[in-house]
Amino acid sequence: MLVAMQESSPSTQPHSRAHYPYVTRALLQLFAEGALTNVTGVVVEPVYGYIARITYNDGTHRITYGNDLGLNTSAASELAKDKGHTKFLLRTIGINCPDGSEFLLPWWAATIGPSQTLWGNDAIRTTSMAPAYIHDHLGYPVYVKPADGSKGADIFKVSNEEELAAAFDTYEDKRVRVAVVEEPIKMPDYRVVMLDGALISAYQRIPLTVVGNGNSTIQELVVQLQQQYFDAGRDTRINIEDPRIGQHLRMQGLNLAYRPRLNEAVTLVPVSNLSSGGTSKDVSEAISHAWVDMAAYVASNFNLRLCGLDIGCADITDGNSPYSVLEVNHAPGLDHYALSGEAQKRLVHEFYTKVLNALPSVRP
């Protein structure tokens, strides 16, 4: 029995809602196809599709929330969301990660500072201390990111103190609590997705890039790329007003009016997240087992059954290659990866079938 609250006509059925999270859309498709043989009912909140309740034939239930399949504990998920605490634990278990530190934004320091001082904690660092820290330990350029950010949002690559201050001003306006400042890792970026110690997928993440046709401007190429994404069913929206695009182009001596030569590739943002418009290249067959073992080790130490490990690695086929773990993800979205090719989509749907069809009391 499929229960879609407040839905009536076929055109408004939740499986046709393109704005639903990919997990919800995949759940409804797989259930409609009869692939979820242990599932007797699905209830989806109809307006946004963000919450789904799955009923199984033994009377148990599973809740999905956005792209979170509900496999990980809340403590493990909260830890993975915090980039500062994540780096602390990575270093504790002997995993390389970018050098850097965390700094409280002024509004948050003013909020918690008095109580921290009262209890004798004098180790708090605020953003006013970041310029000296960068001067003494890192040097420019550096990456600046919200400690609890996701999907590549509000990550800046800054080259001087003025750009650093501008990034912090943005965070202060958005009420970001803690900023992470870290060195850039100049190696290809990969995501390795693990479930219960087994590899689900591995792919290289390539930053948002346009390729010249010898005629169009960068701005026109972005419009064309956006249409290609929509045609492919990808919901990524490229914000041409994103200040990171203008900043990154200026660093290359370019602007939106520049007309790239035929086949000239121009990178628009300095982050490789697929949510920010990047693309992917599958390396599941090529990745060295050493990196799979490391991803399983990290997932185990973070108590994450489902884990997406972001790795900067010089050569993903070589287990002895230089590397740095960039982030740990508790609910790695697979929608952009699934839309990169039929083989990838089939793999993702096989994974979702395995997880969503498993009784909540039994590991898939």
Side-chain angles (χ1 to χ4, degrees):
M1 174 181 63
L2 172 63
V3 182
M5 299 185 295
Q6 302 175 7
E7 301 291 339
S8 53
S9 66
S11 63
T12 60
Q13 288 300 306
H15 59 266
S16 68
R17 298 286 184 129
H19 64 277
Y20 282 6
Y22 193 84
V23 164
T24 305
R25 287 182 279 148
L27 164 65
L28 292 170
Q29 178 183 337
L30 293 170
F31 183 65
E33 292 172 351
L36 305 181
T37 55
N38 287 329
V39 175
T40 58
V42 176
V43 177
V44 174
E45 187 281 317
V47 178
Y48 301 105
Y50 213 73
I51 299 169
R53 178 176 179 266
I54 307 168
T55 302
Y56 293 84
N57 53 24
D58 66 349
T60 58
H61 304 89
R62 181 190 305 279
I63 300 295
T64 66
Y65 188 82
N67 285 321
D68 191 333
L69 292 164
L71 294 173
N72 296 321
T73 66
S74 59
S77 297
E78 289 302 312
L79 169 59
K81 289 178 185 177
D82 189 309
K83 294 177 175 58
H85 289 147
T86 290
K87 289 170 68 175
F88 166 78
L89 185 53
L90 286 172
R91 294 185 181 113
T92 298
I93 63 176
I95 298 296
N96 295 342
C97 58
D99 191 14
S101 191
E102 299 77 50
F103 300 88
L104 273 62
L105 274 295
W107 79 273
W108 186 238
T111 301
I112 70 168
S115 61
Q116 295 292 310
T117 301
L118 179 64
W119 293 106
N121 182 9
D122 58 0
I124 289 179
R125 286 183 169 186
T126 65
T127 52
S128 63
M129 303 175 184
Y133 172 81
I134 294 171
H135 179 272
D136 295 340
H137 298 280
L138 301 178
Y140 289 103
V142 296
Y143 275 100
V144 185
K145 57 183 72 173
D148 60 352
S150 63
K151 298 184 178 181
D154 293 322
I155 298 178
F156 295 92
K157 185 177 183 180
V158 302
S159 300
N160 52 54
E161 193 167 329
E162 181 181 357
E163 293 177 355
L164 179 70
F168 288 156
D169 286 344
T170 298
Y171 293 170
E172 185 77 6
D173 291 342
K174 293 187 175 184
R175 282 302 191 252
V176 171
R177 295 181 178 185
V178 182
V180 175
V181 176
E182 63 185 28
E183 65 175 336
I185 300 299
K186 300 177 182 178
M187 292 184 283
D189 184 337
Y190 299 89
R191 172 163 290 182
V192 182
V193 181
M194 307 292 294
L195 174 65
D196 291 331
L199 176 69
I200 298 300
S201 64
Y203 52 92
Q204 182 179 356
R205 304 188 305 169
I206 303 166
L208 173 61
T209 301
V210 293
V211 179
N213 57 21
N215 182 48
S216 302
T217 65
I218 289 178
Q219 184 159 351
E220 291 168 342
L221 290 169
V222 168
V223 173
Q224 295 167 23
L225 181 62
Q226 180 69 84
Q227 188 59 52
Q228 291 173 23
Y229 285 171
F230 287 158
D231 291 345
R234 181 172 172 178
D235 61 3
T236 300
R237 294 187 179 274
I238 305 171
N239 178 15
I240 197 66
E241 302 297 329
D242 187 333
R244 297 177 300 175
I245 292 180
Q247 181 188 55
H248 196 59
L249 288 176
R250 285 193 297 274
M251 291 177 64
Q252 301 172 75
L254 307 175
N255 57 40
L256 291 173
Y258 174 70
R259 299 179 187 273
R261 300 182 303 276
L262 180 64
N263 295 325
E264 178 186 358
V266 179
T267 301
L268 301 186
V269 291
V271 296
S272 56
N273 299 68
L274 303 190
S275 301
S276 296
T279 54
S280 65
K281 176 183 177 183
D282 191 88
V283 296
S284 300
E285 298 297 325
I287 185 172
S288 167
H289 199 71
W291 304 123
V292 177
D293 288 344
M294 185 184 73
Y297 172 71
V298 171
S300 174
N301 276 274
F302 276 71
N303 195 28
L304 291 170
R305 293 183 58 195
L306 176 63
C307 175
L309 197 68
D310 295 345
I311 307 173
C313 184
D315 183 355
I316 202 69
T317 68
D318 180 0
N320 295 312
S321 183
Y323 81 95
S324 184
V325 171
L326 308 174
E327 291 188 15
V328 178
N329 298 273
H330 76 284
L334 293 170
D335 48 343
H336 300 300
Y337 174 73
L339 293 170
S340 65
E342 285 302 315
Q344 288 77 15
K345 181 179 180 180
R346 184 167 55 253
L347 180 65
V348 170
H349 279 229
E350 288 174 356
F351 163 64
Y352 283 148
T353 301
K354 179 181 180 182
V355 172
L356 296 172
N357 199 46
L359 301 178
S361 59
V362 179
R363 288 195 171 195

